[in-house]
Amino acid sequence: MSESLPHRDVPRRRSATSWIIGGVVALFVLLVVGAAGGFVWYGIGLFNDQAGAAIRADPGVVDAVGAISEIHLDFSATGEAPGSEEFAYRITGERAQGLLVGRFVTVDADTEELREGSLTLDDGRVIAIGTVRNSSGAARTIAPETDAD
């Protein structure tokens, strides 16, 4: 009786072609995702610039906080806002700071308009802000009103 030696599998040589194709596909996916992310980042930046201009132009906001030094989008408060056109911004001015939640409407490619909203100052005051349009389409600013609680 002869004893057979254990059979050893000879490792198969893998082709580099599958690794190259996988690398090219992964690189393509990363480029597409990066480009999409870049477009979103650029769009958010444009919107924030236009919304910042609308906020700075609102007399109710300027009356409440003074000259505005900082405006930052508040992602969590925006997520809690009830409407899809409503965004929340933390505003810091020379006299006060607070959270503005407002409805922004696109007027044209370069302009957002703050139609309505409220500015809640850190001291608890709430001020109605924004622009309303009458039936003829003319814009008028909402007179700032402070809630007396």
Side-chain angles (χ1 to χ4, degrees):
M1 275 194 177
S2 71
E3 251 180 68
S4 66
L5 294 172
H7 178 63
R8 292 187 181 196
D9 287 331
V10 176
R12 289 180 46 188
R13 187 172 182 175
R14 294 188 182 214
S15 169
T17 307
S18 62
W19 285 102
I20 292 171
I21 291 172
V24 168
V25 168
L27 180 62
F28 178 75
V29 168
L30 285 173
L31 287 174
V32 169
V33 169
F39 283 126
V40 168
W41 188 260
Y42 178 74
I44 288 173
L46 269 178
F47 177 81
N48 281 336
D49 291 344
Q50 294 172 4
I55 291 168
R56 283 183 170 89
D58 190 282
V61 175
V62 174
D63 287 346
V65 300
I68 297 171
S69 59
E70 291 183 30
I71 299 174
H72 296 287
L73 180 64
D74 187 327
F75 284 104
S76 57
T78 296
E80 295 171 3
S84 62
E85 295 176 337
E86 292 189 5
F87 293 87
Y89 287 89
R90 288 288 312 161
I91 299 172
T92 302
E94 65 183 355
R95 290 192 305 262
Q97 57 187 4
L99 180 69
L100 180 144
V101 179
R103 186 170 70 93
F104 291 86
V105 177
T106 303
V107 175
D108 58 37
D110 299 322
T111 310
E112 289 291 324
E113 187 175 82
L114 177 56
R115 288 279 171 91
E116 61 186 337
S118 63
L119 172 61
T120 305
L121 299 176
D122 288 349
D123 65 7
R125 292 181 290 157
V126 178
I127 300 166
I129 53 156
T131 302
V132 294
R133 298 208 173 262
N134 61 21
S135 59
S136 68
R140 74 175 174 79
T141 303
I142 297 172
E145 297 175 9
T146 303
D147 287 346
D149 286 334

